[in-house]
Amino acid sequence: MSDVCAIRGDQGRAIRALLERIADKWALVIIATLHTGRLRFTGLRQHIPGISHRMLALTLRKLERDGLVIRTAYAEVPPRVEYELSELAVTLIPHAVALADWAIEHNPDIAARRAEYDEREH
């Protein structure tokens, strides 16, 4: 019950803000990709099919702002920029994996409930 009270203590603002960041379409994919090690922008794009240049840049910027991704720019010609997970982001990995495992395990149940619901509603 104390966990529920903590969530309600700020009317859920903290949890909503966090979920908005990490549960968007690309954030966890980027975090999972960087979990294997530091990558340049182009390397990230190659490892994440379907992500646009713009969306990767925007999501990386947001993750950097939240302290989950570290951006390192090297003063070289041509310029080189690498991205890696922060220590904070590394602590997120087991929780993200647990959520993904839950989703995979329960996806058939959810699909069945959706089908039942859709059948009743249409």
Side-chain angles (χ1 to χ4, degrees):
M1 189 62 150
S2 64
D3 290 341
V4 173
C5 293
I7 291 171
R8 292 183 180 161
D10 69 348
Q11 292 76 41
R13 282 189 294 272
I15 191 71
R16 285 194 315 270
L18 176 65
L19 287 175
E20 181 182 333
R21 174 64 59 240
I22 65 167
D24 75 13
K25 185 174 181 177
W26 298 110
L28 282 178
V29 175
I30 292 169
I31 290 169
T33 302
L34 287 173
H35 187 242
T36 60
R38 180 182 307 172
L39 286 170
R40 293 173 74 168
F41 188 92
T42 305
L44 273 168
R45 276 204 66 201
Q46 291 170 347
H47 282 86
I48 305 173
I51 194 166
S52 70
H53 184 280
R54 180 179 181 276
M55 189 52 61
L56 179 56
L58 287 172
T59 306
L60 282 169
R61 203 170 300 129
K62 290 175 183 177
L63 291 170
E64 182 183 6
R65 180 175 183 256
D66 289 342
L68 298 172
V69 167
I70 298 168
R71 178 183 185 271
T72 305
Y74 297 91
E76 300 174 350
V77 177
R80 178 171 54 113
V81 177
E82 293 181 338
Y83 298 90
E84 63 185 310
L85 294 183
S86 68
E87 289 182 23
L88 179 62
V90 171
T91 67
L92 176 60
I93 298 294
H95 304 288
V97 168
L99 182 59
D101 288 345
W102 183 91
I104 290 166
E105 179 182 345
H106 295 286
N107 192 49
D109 298 326
I110 292 169
R113 298 314 181 283
R114 286 178 179 170
E116 290 170 11
Y117 178 88
D118 292 347
E119 186 69 27
R120 282 193 319 266
E121 296 301 314
H122 292 87

